[in-house]
Amino acid sequence: MSTPQSLLIRHAEIILPNGELMVGDVLTSNGQIVKVGSEIDSAGVTQEIDAQGLTLLPGVIDPQVHFREPGLEHKEDLFTASCACAKGGVTSFLEMPNTRPLTISQSALDDKLQRAANKCLVNYGFFIGATADNLPDLLSAQPTPGIKIFMGSMHGQLLVNQEEALEAIFAQGNRLIAVHAEDQARINQRKQEFAGIEDIAIHSQIQDNQAALLATQLALKLSKKYQRRLHILHMSTAEEAELLRQDKPSWVTAEVTPQHLLLNTSAYETIGTLAQMNPPLRSPHDNEVLWQALRDGIIDFIATDHAPHTLAEKAQTYPNTPSGMPGVETSLPLMLTAAMDGKCTVAQVVQWMSKAVAVAYGIANKGEITPGYDADLVLVDLKNYREVKREEVLSKCGWSSFEGWNLTGWPVTTIVGGEIVYDQGQLNTQIRGQALTFSKS
Ligand code: DOR
């Protein structure tokens, strides 16, 4: 595939910014959308795609992924992960700091940005991780979507769970703070109570709803005290959703993962430790309350928390098994299948997986199919269903928690900066994404 200067996508079912559907054409030039119309003249166009029968969406921006590089490349690296993104219609991602070394300084951030420039097929941004004593780095690091705090579920330097240490971070600066909200003291206490149990299902009881609620309450309290921009990562419980429904300051956002909407504790019986993640899977009741909160705008957007581990690591015995599952290849088809099942609309999926993320993080010119916006696009097939198959997974971990699920909305073509990075099973590994910038950070 050569590098096109202009690309004309013809006869697509285009999801417009107002959520309406229009059958027509989109012209991109030098990485930007230049025209959206019912019939665009193809004179002088370098490359054309006939998108008859396909739906054109803005590319997905996945605001929470763990891509393991540097230091944990046996699980994933920025190249394999970005290939998986391209296949899944994810054209931009925001990555978390729990790599080795941890991303807790400007130099570690610069190293990741350099690695990504060398090997990422899609656009990228990296969080700076909070420790109890890196406040100067948290205030000055650039470019970053924000500060990531592990209030629980993390050992080592990245765990910041004492109120005093948290308050010191909330009190200074104004950039976005994204929290993994689980209460470590409660988790520690329950680990002791349930010590010796090797049944994976106990994971959801050890790191229970109360552990999540306590941490979210504390983060909200500090955010309100300092009117500090707060984002609650992978919200998992009905209790947290109800808390936000009662009291959600205008400067607070929250996200949910497809797995917390679509899987629950019954998954332990079928896929065992492949269902283990933090925060853990919850009950069918939690699934329903989270869906409603998402539809009502209490939860703002979707993230995958793509967190791959090898099958060998997952084959150990609980509690020695690591938490996390891959997500970027399946998130869009999972959500579009839910839309086809009547859980939501396709326009809502676009809002939750592209537009709302761009707005929350101040990522300019992304998340909409509008002239002047970046040509990060995905053409999906909403007419056919196909099973998730282990042998087709591109993530280095080589498995999915959704194997056997029959999904529609699979990406057919993914476009990053006006260039075709994935087309009908083929990747163009020559394409490179760009570093994202964040006007709100
Ligand atoms: O399940 C999880 N795994 N949740 C996290 O927040 C971290 C992640 C990981 O890095 O493995």
Side-chain angles (χ1 to χ4, degrees), residues 95-370:
E95 208 259 355
M96 288 297 161
N98 56 330
T99 40
R100 306 283 182 275
L102 305 173
T103 320
I104 54 177
S105 65
Q106 183 68 50
S107 61
L109 182 61
D110 288 342
D111 175 55
K112 270 194 179 171
L113 287 161
Q114 188 55 52
R115 288 167 182 270
N118 290 338
K119 51 167 84 168
C120 261
L121 279 63
V122 302
N123 307 312
Y124 46 85
F126 299 99
F127 279 89
I128 181 98
T131 70
D133 54 17
N134 72 338
L135 197 52
D137 305 85
L138 299 182
L139 294 172
S140 64
Q142 284 291 359
T144 183
I147 298 167
K148 164 72 182 276
I149 304 182
F150 281 91
M151 297 173 73
S153 241
M154 181 76 197
H155 302 284
Q157 261 187 297
L158 276 187
L159 178 67
V160 183
N161 61 334
Q162 300 302 321
E163 185 164 344
E164 206 180 315
L166 288 164
E167 182 149 3
I169 299 169
F170 274 81
Q172 290 200 52
N174 52 19
R175 69 172 21 153
L176 179 147
I177 294 175
V179 291
H180 178 130
E182 288 190 277
D183 184 84
Q184 192 61 43
R186 181 169 173 91
I187 294 173
N188 291 345
Q189 173 216 322
R190 291 176 73 79
K191 268 188 182 159
Q192 284 184 1
E193 273 172 45
F194 295 105
I197 300 179
E198 295 181 344
D199 177 359
I200 176 61
I202 204 71
H203 185 61
S204 292
Q205 291 190 49
I206 293 174
Q207 301 190 200
D208 65 352
N209 288 36
Q210 185 65 14
L213 179 64
L214 285 171
T216 293
Q217 281 170 331
L218 175 56
L220 263 182
K221 181 178 102 175
L222 293 173
S223 166
K224 281 161 72 172
K225 182 165 178 186
Y226 296 100
Q227 300 211 352
R228 182 66 183 260
R229 174 79 179 92
L230 170 69
H231 177 64
I232 299 161
L233 299 158
H234 44 37
M235 183 171 276
S236 62
T237 69
E239 290 85 343
E240 292 165 283
E242 288 308 323
L243 174 69
L244 281 196
R245 191 181 286 280
Q246 300 308 319
D247 182 15
K248 187 184 178 205
S250 60
W251 58 87
V252 174
T253 51
E255 70 185 29
V256 64
T257 68
Q259 54 270 35
H260 285 113
L261 293 169
L262 298 166
L263 296 176
N264 50 58
T265 50
S266 67
Y268 294 130
E269 288 152 35
T270 48
I271 58 170
T273 60
L274 300 188
Q276 181 187 337
M277 70 167 297
N278 297 332
L281 298 179
R282 310 296 187 189
S283 70
H285 171 70
D286 292 287
N287 294 149
E288 287 318 309
V289 175
L290 291 169
W291 265 115
Q292 197 55 49
L294 183 61
R295 283 187 293 255
D296 291 345
I298 308 292
I299 296 176
D300 300 86
F301 50 82
I302 302 280
T304 64
D305 192 20
H306 179 97
H309 299 282
T310 66
L311 282 168
E313 290 164 336
K314 285 286 196 181
Q316 299 168 90
T317 305
Y318 187 82
N320 299 322
T321 40
S323 293
M325 58 179 73
V328 294
E329 279 165 84
T330 47
S331 57
L332 184 57
L334 283 167
M335 292 304 294
L336 289 172
T337 302
M340 291 300 118
D341 291 345
K343 288 289 226 182
C344 58
T345 66
V346 174
Q348 282 175 312
V349 173
V350 169
Q351 169 70 15
W352 300 331
M353 299 190 78
S354 303
K355 181 67 187 171
V357 181
V359 169
Y361 284 101
I363 305 171
N365 297 331
K366 291 200 191 292
E368 269 186 32
I369 302 179
T370 300

